[in-house]
């Protein structure tokens, strides 16, 4: 089942970009950090929308959480590619971006990885899809769409940059 078509994704991302700017009190202290891989694409899209609306290119970093995952010992296939954050986090309002929020385990790993980079004034989580079923007590400040789903279902996010199309699917 299709959850979001291309035109809907564009609208949702535009709204998230404006919400991120508002949450940070403007662009002066705002930085975007995308969780590898699809969180980076979301962060890049937010950056482009903010630049179009505000005329400012906010800094963007890439966060690799592979070494911080709690499933490394259970045969997880994560490959560490490294983080790319070339700006200080001190004094910044970080918008941490991911495509899907589910159990909260990715967020836990991301916060651990981010703390190794620096200490931001504030970290807000933004995601394209929130599907519920939290195992850890995290919530997103910015959510593109909430999609209640069963644990046996999957949410698949496709971006042009990684998959050749923009679409979000719910698979049974």
């Amino acid at each position: 089942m299709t959850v979001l078509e291309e035109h809907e994704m564009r609208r949702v991302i535009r709204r998230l970009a404006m919400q991120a700017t508002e949450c940070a009190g403007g662009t002066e202290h705002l930085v975007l950090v995308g969780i590898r891989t699809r969180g980076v694409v979301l962060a890049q899209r937010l950056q482009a929308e903010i630049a179009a609306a505000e005329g400012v290119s906010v800094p963007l970093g890439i966060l690799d959480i592979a070494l911080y995952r709690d499933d490394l010992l259970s045969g997880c296939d994560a490959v560490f590619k490294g983080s790319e954050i070339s700006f200080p986090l001190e004094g910044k309002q970080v918008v941490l971006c991911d495509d899907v929020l589910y159990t909260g385990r990715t967020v836990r790993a991301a916060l651990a990885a981010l703390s190794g980079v620096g200490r931001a004034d504030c970290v807000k989580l933004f995601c394209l899809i929130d599907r519920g079923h939290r195992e850890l007590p995290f919530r997103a400040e910015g959510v593109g769409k909430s999609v209640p789903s069963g644990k046996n279902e999957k949410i698949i996010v496709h971006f042009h940059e990684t998959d050749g199309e923009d679409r979000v699917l719910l698979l049974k």
Side-chain angles (χ1 to χ4, degrees):
M1 174 177 105
T2 300
V3 173
L4 290 175
E5 294 283 356
E6 182 172 357
H7 69 281
E8 295 168 311
M9 280 181 68
R10 207 171 24 253
R11 186 175 336 115
V12 163
I13 290 170
R14 188 174 306 121
R15 176 176 49 79
L16 286 173
M18 296 306 94
Q19 192 177 354
T21 305
E22 189 174 307
C23 279
T27 59
E28 184 179 359
H29 301 289
L30 173 62
V31 297
L32 302 168
V33 175
I35 300 171
R36 255 191 222 282
T37 297
R38 285 179 171 75
V40 174
V41 178
L42 178 59
Q44 290 168 335
R45 297 271 186 99
L46 293 178
Q47 183 187 45
E49 289 293 339
I50 292 167
E54 302 289 325
V56 175
S57 181
V58 298
L60 186 143
I62 298 171
L63 188 65
D64 191 328
I65 65 164
L67 298 179
Y68 295 88
R69 293 173 54 118
D70 61 6
D71 57 355
L72 277 178
L73 298 177
S74 63
C76 145
D77 60 352
V79 176
F80 183 71
K81 295 180 180 175
S83 295
E84 300 170 28
I85 299 176
S86 61
F87 46 84
L89 296 181
E90 290 72 19
K92 300 299 182 187
Q93 303 281 317
V94 174
V95 170
L96 183 63
C97 303
D98 205 7
D99 59 341
V100 178
L101 176 57
Y102 182 35
T103 63
R105 295 190 177 280
T106 296
V107 179
R108 187 210 51 80
L111 291 173
L114 200 57
S115 70
V117 176
R119 185 165 187 225
D121 280 2
C122 182
V123 178
K124 304 278 185 171
L125 177 63
F126 275 59
C127 63
L128 186 62
I129 303 293
D130 182 348
R131 63 175 289 194
H133 300 287
R134 225 65 86 237
E135 295 173 6
L136 298 171
F138 293 110
R139 74 171 182 84
E141 187 77 22
V143 175
K145 184 167 181 141
S146 292
V147 181
S149 59
K151 289 190 176 193
N152 61 333
E153 297 174 312
K154 290 185 88 167
I155 295 282
I156 307 295
V157 176
H158 288 187
F159 286 115
H160 273 292
E161 295 87 336
T162 54
D163 309 291
E165 68 173 350
D166 280 346
R167 180 185 291 191
V168 178
L169 302 169
L170 173 64
L171 304 179
K172 305 252 179 208

